[in-house]
Amino acid sequence: MPQITVDRSPTLRLDRRPFAAELHPLVASVIGSPAADCKTRFRRIEEAFIGDGTPERAMVLLEIRLLAGRSAEVKTELAERVLALLEKHAVPEPGDELHLAVEVVDVDRASYRKSVSAAR
């Protein structure tokens, strides 16, 4: 179920496939689910305004949505390990200040539904 959204500044370099190839097994190992259940979407934001608007700043905001029920310790470990992975993969322009953030969000089990089907 993990649904991951990565929003990034337009000037930031992030090799999406290698990042996701490391991210999915990491998430799966921390929360105890199959990596095949992870889904990540990447969004290059049109414009970022950070702090006072100084243009030499870049950011990545990463959100991981999980079915509710995991402990605070598991969510903290997940956020810390994903942040370390982001630090490894996110490459700002020379001279830019890089802001990274990870948030783990609970999804209500009672209202969540999904469907998976093969092409016909």
Side-chain angles (χ1 to χ4, degrees):
M1 182 281 163
Q3 298 173 349
I4 304 160
T5 303
V6 181
D7 292 316
R8 65 177 180 85
S9 292
T11 59
L12 185 83
R13 291 189 322 263
L14 179 66
D15 284 337
R16 295 179 301 270
R17 293 187 71 78
F19 176 70
E22 286 189 58
L23 176 65
H24 289 184
L26 184 155
V27 170
S29 72
V30 173
I31 68 169
S33 75
D37 288 350
C38 293
K39 299 156 216 63
T40 298
R41 66 179 169 178
F42 295 91
R43 299 187 297 197
R44 183 177 176 262
I45 57 178
E46 184 176 323
E47 183 177 4
F49 191 96
I50 302 166
D52 62 4
T54 301
E56 292 81 18
R57 293 186 177 128
M59 69 178 185
V60 176
L61 304 177
L62 188 147
E63 178 184 80
I64 303 170
R65 298 173 55 80
L66 303 172
L67 288 175
R70 290 179 176 90
S71 70
E73 293 80 15
V74 166
K75 292 187 277 188
T76 298
E77 177 186 354
L78 179 59
E80 289 174 353
R81 291 183 62 189
V82 170
L83 182 60
L85 186 65
L86 261 179
E87 289 170 342
K88 175 182 163 187
H89 283 272
V91 180
E93 290 294 316
D96 278 4
E97 180 179 87
L98 180 57
H99 295 248
L100 303 174
V102 175
E103 181 180 20
V104 179
V105 178
D106 285 335
V107 173
D108 181 38
R109 287 180 178 271
S111 64
Y112 179 76
R113 301 291 181 268
K114 76 173 187 176
S115 173
V116 178
S117 60
R120 297 176 193 199

